[in-house]
Amino acid sequence: MRELMIHLNENSPKYKQIYHSIRSLIENKELQPNTKLPSIRQLAEILYVSRNTTLVAYEQLLAEGYIRSEQKRGYFVETFESIDIHTPTLHAEKSISEERKIKVDFRAGSVDQHAFPIKAWRKCVNEVLKEDIVYMYGEQQGDRLLREKIANYLLQSRGIRTSEDSIVIGSSTQQLLMHLSILLKNKYSSIAVENPGYDGARTVFQLCGFQINPIEVRKKGLCMKQLEKIESKLVYITPSHQFPTGVTLPIAERLQLLNWAHSQNGYIIEDDYDSEFRYQQQPIPALLSIQQEARVIYISTFSKAFLPSIRLSYMVLPSELLDQYNQQFATFEQTASSIHQRTMARFMERGHWDSHIRKMRATYKRKMHVLVSSLHLAFGKVIRLIGTQSGLYILIQLQSSVGEEILIQQALEQGVKVYPTSNLYIGYKPEFSILKLGFSNLSIEEIQLGVQLLKKAWT
């Protein structure tokens, strides 16, 4: 090819324009493989540029593999297979469009942004930033001051008598469960879990190689008869506010469960993720508070009651496991932020935590009441509400054969996001679809609007 017309301008270096133009012609297959290109001198004469300009452009194309040089023959378009990159523009536009049209998002797990004590928290952060702890990795079990405050809080609010030495702080419940699973896998090979139950915990156990034994959750919580028939000596349970049904395990079953763990020489992993928010009665005492030497591993988090993004959870280990934990994870650095740990300790020390919990309990109680009453008013007997006395979400079951995915899509078409529960079941699904509606970060007006839109979507 002796002629190669390229339009050049003065806006950028000419060698770059020549390079990009030839590259584009090759990529668009306008210059076919093995096509001979003009020589450096010929191209310079055609484009009225210096030979050095065309030389630099060719050398760049040569370096990137777009052309090849054959001795005494010149430059040729290299043979290579182009890659078809299909940019999902339509899908992206659809996703953006869907996000824009969402009016009410019943997402669980977020917090009320307007009620968050940002000034008190910021003041504590500023104080901590002046401390030496900011420049260190921190203690392996977590900040001692925070562990002291947690121990005091557990005694007052959950009836648990423990010391800071028995508490381990981590970045999340799943991270603590991961470490715990590694620790327990030395002795145990299977674990019983609630069905339905928290799939995040179940995933951790599966990743760690445990055989999963699902135990049905009934009106009184975990079915003890099923538990006693299996070989598992470990059980993961949410007894104070069963996830997701909201059932509270009665005292008779709690004692039975504690006796089971003792007789099996096993352990109960008690996940007490949102015990602060009960609206009809006082918080239920933890399993570990019934028997101080019980074979219970207690786990809780600051994510639900305070703020998910600070990534703070903690567990209380029995003495026999604590020694093993410190030996096995001696070389592991603390996973939670030292700054956030010490800030939370200062926040609790100054009394902000207790006042925050009291305020949020009243706020969420009102929101729960508005959501429940609005749903009853809109749907009447067509729906069944589950878990309306505690927590930061409820379950709604429509007496309809319409599937879960369709109900979610119908709600989305009206600008409302609701969430599935099918992923929480193992081996079976309820007769009618059950959806999850969180309310913590919604205003009263948004809750009422959301229910009206759901009525429009589902009726």
Side-chain angles (χ1 to χ4, degrees):
M1 176 184 286
R2 298 185 61 85
E3 300 292 330
L4 189 62
M5 300 305 297
I6 299 173
H7 176 69
L8 301 178
N9 56 54
E10 303 299 327
N11 296 330
S12 65
K14 289 185 172 61
Y15 79 89
K16 284 189 176 181
Q17 297 180 57
I18 296 169
Y19 157 75
H20 284 295
S21 297
I22 296 176
R23 173 180 166 177
S24 178
L25 290 169
I26 295 172
E27 289 180 337
N28 294 330
K29 299 182 180 179
E30 295 179 52
L31 284 176
Q32 295 297 319
N34 301 314
T35 299
K36 191 176 189 303
L37 298 173
S39 68
I40 291 172
R41 179 183 59 79
Q42 290 170 340
L43 187 58
E45 291 176 352
I46 292 170
L47 301 178
Y48 298 100
V49 297
S50 69
R51 292 183 183 183
N52 188 58
T53 298
T54 55
L55 173 63
V56 173
Y58 271 20
E59 285 181 341
Q60 185 63 35
L61 291 165
L62 193 65
E64 294 185 13
Y66 285 97
I67 63 176
R68 68 179 185 273
S69 174
E70 296 184 8
Q71 192 172 8
K72 295 183 180 181
R73 294 191 64 203
Y75 294 94
F76 295 82
V77 176
E78 187 60 280
T79 301
F80 68 94
E81 291 193 16
S82 61
I83 301 174
D84 292 328
I85 302 177
H86 299 288
T87 305
T89 53
L90 294 178
H91 176 73
E93 288 175 2
K94 181 180 179 182
S95 299
I96 293 171
S97 176
E98 287 182 352
E99 290 298 322
R100 284 177 178 172
K101 74 176 184 179
I102 293 174
K103 302 172 184 175
V104 180
D105 187 350
F106 282 105
R107 179 182 176 85
S110 54
V111 300
D112 190 319
Q113 298 178 22
H114 301 290
F116 184 76
I118 186 67
K119 291 183 179 179
W121 180 255
R122 184 184 291 123
K123 184 177 181 180
C124 291
V125 171
N126 291 337
E127 292 177 4
V128 170
L129 289 174
K130 300 175 184 177
E131 299 183 24
D132 293 340
I133 193 172
V134 173
Y135 305 97
M136 303 176 185
Y137 279 106
E139 296 182 57
Q140 195 270 338
Q141 277 187 228
D143 182 69
R144 178 165 290 273
L145 181 59
L146 177 56
R147 286 187 281 135
E148 290 176 0
K149 299 306 173 186
I150 290 173
N152 292 335
Y153 172 68
L154 289 178
L155 177 61
Q156 296 172 14
S157 66
R158 311 300 292 126
I160 297 174
R161 296 182 181 275
T162 188
S163 70
E164 65 272 15
D165 293 329
S166 298
I167 296 173
V168 176
I169 295 172
S171 59
S172 69
T173 296
Q174 284 184 303
Q175 180 262 312
L176 289 175
L177 287 175
M178 181 71 75
H179 281 194
L180 189 59
S181 297
I182 294 170
L183 188 68
L184 295 172
K185 197 68 173 63
N186 297 329
K187 186 176 180 181
Y188 305 97
S189 60
S190 64
I191 186 168
V193 297
E194 299 166 316
N195 189 23
Y198 176 38
D199 56 337
R202 192 167 68 230
T203 300
V204 171
F205 300 141
Q206 289 172 331
L207 287 173
C208 291
F210 282 102
Q211 176 186 329
I212 304 298
N213 291 314
I215 306 298
E216 186 179 349
V217 173
R218 298 179 178 175
K219 291 183 178 180
K220 291 188 177 182
L222 194 75
C223 179
M224 287 303 303
K225 289 184 178 180
Q226 288 185 19
L227 180 64
E228 291 169 349
K229 290 180 181 179
I230 64 172
E231 295 182 357
S232 293
K233 297 181 180 180
L234 296 176
V235 61
Y236 169 83
I237 186 172
T238 51
S240 295
H241 181 228
Q242 200 280 326
F243 183 86
T245 66
V247 174
T248 299
L249 194 68
I251 185 62
E253 281 71 15
R254 289 178 177 237
L255 292 173
Q256 191 176 353
L257 184 60
L258 291 169
N259 290 334
W260 170 86
H262 179 75
S263 64
Q264 295 291 320
N265 198 31
Y267 287 102
I268 302 163
I269 303 174
E270 177 182 12
D271 190 345
D272 203 23
Y273 65 100
D274 69 349
S275 60
E276 290 86 1
F277 302 117
R278 292 189 68 84
Y279 310 120
Q280 301 298 327
Q281 310 91 15
Q282 291 296 314
I284 302 297
L287 274 173
L288 188 54
S289 70
I290 299 175
Q291 295 177 4
Q292 295 301 138
E293 299 301 321
R295 299 183 68 83
V296 175
I297 302 161
Y298 179 89
I299 293 182
S300 191
T301 179
F302 288 103
S303 295
K304 303 297 185 294
F306 191 65
L307 194 65
S309 59
I310 64 170
R311 313 308 297 153
L312 282 179
S313 295
Y314 55 91
M315 63 180 174
V316 180
L317 289 177
S319 56
E320 63 271 18
L321 287 181
L322 185 63
D323 293 338
Q324 297 176 38
Y325 182 90
N326 286 326
Q327 290 176 13
Q328 194 156 348
F329 294 98
T331 59
F332 281 60
E333 296 292 352
Q334 170 57 228
T335 59
S337 162
S338 296
I339 297 175
H340 286 161
Q341 289 185 65
R342 181 54 62 90
T343 302
M344 178 55 74
R346 296 298 181 201
F347 190 81
M348 298 176 81
E349 185 177 55
R350 286 158 175 68
H352 299 313
W353 171 255
D354 291 334
S355 61
H356 169 71
I357 292 300
R358 288 194 298 270
K359 178 181 178 181
M360 298 317 296
R361 188 180 293 129
T363 299
Y364 292 147
K365 179 179 180 179
R366 184 181 175 217
K367 291 185 179 184
M368 172 72 88
H369 173 75
V370 170
L371 178 57
V372 171
S373 58
S374 297
L375 285 168
H376 279 309
L377 184 63
F379 292 95
K381 296 182 179 180
V382 176
I383 61 168
R384 181 169 76 95
L385 302 183
I386 304 168
T388 61
Q389 296 184 356
S390 57
L392 305 176
Y393 66 88
I394 65 169
L395 302 184
I396 176 172
Q397 185 177 50
L398 272 76
Q399 309 299 310
S400 168
S401 59
V402 179
E404 179 183 82
E405 291 184 7
I406 295 176
L407 290 172
I408 291 174
Q409 184 58 39
Q410 288 175 340
L412 192 60
E413 289 171 359
Q414 296 298 325
V416 183
K417 285 193 76 171
V418 294
Y419 293 84
T421 62
S422 56
N423 56 306
L424 308 179
Y425 289 82
I426 304 175
Y428 80 99
K429 293 181 181 179
E431 180 182 0
F432 300 114
S433 297
I434 299 177
L435 299 172
K436 186 178 177 183
L437 277 66
F439 56 81
S440 52
N441 194 35
L442 297 176
S443 66
I444 297 298
E445 293 73 23
E446 287 173 326
I447 291 172
Q448 293 171 330
L449 173 61
V451 172
Q452 290 304 311
L453 292 172
L454 288 178
K455 181 180 179 180
K456 185 176 180 181
W458 291 338
T459 58

